[in-house]
Amino acid sequence: MAKYSYKQRLEAVMKVTEKHMSCKAVGRLLGCGDTHVRRWVKRYENFGVEGLIRKPRISPMTMRTMNILLSTIRKIVKKF
């Protein structure tokens, strides 16, 4: 899956919102599907430029590690 930089996403959104290009045309220029562009435009409309910033995801391994840590803390707390 291709990742697009913040700058690329912002430029794509500006082409749609300010230059009135279609999402399909902008997607072709970027080499991605129009669904990506529509999603970026919607996020921009809802959240502004912050909606285009990629947010880190918690991987399953991290969640597993957090659960182990929480259960260990609970065991320690029960001892006291």
Side-chain angles (χ1 to χ4, degrees):
M1 183 170 134
K3 298 284 182 179
Y4 299 93
S5 69
Y6 168 78
K7 184 179 175 184
Q8 288 173 311
R9 291 190 298 271
L10 182 60
E11 287 175 359
V13 168
M14 292 300 121
K15 285 178 182 175
V16 172
T17 58
E18 293 179 1
K19 295 186 179 181
H20 306 290
M21 291 178 69
S22 70
C23 291
K24 196 170 193 173
V26 173
R28 273 194 223 123
L29 287 173
L30 269 179
C32 69
D34 60 307
T35 305
H36 279 88
V37 180
R38 287 182 210 288
R39 192 175 303 138
W40 299 336
V41 170
K42 188 169 186 158
R43 287 181 187 161
Y44 177 78
E45 290 171 347
N46 290 331
F47 305 107
V49 291
E50 289 183 14
L52 301 176
I53 298 171
R54 262 197 306 252
K55 303 203 177 23
R57 296 178 185 221
I58 297 176
S59 68
M61 187 60 174
T62 305
M63 284 297 289
R64 182 172 177 258
T65 304
M66 272 189 353
N67 286 334
I68 291 170
L69 178 62
L70 285 173
S71 72
T72 304
I73 291 171
R74 286 184 188 120
K75 288 176 186 175
I76 292 171
V77 169
K78 282 182 181 179
K79 289 181 181 180
F80 291 101

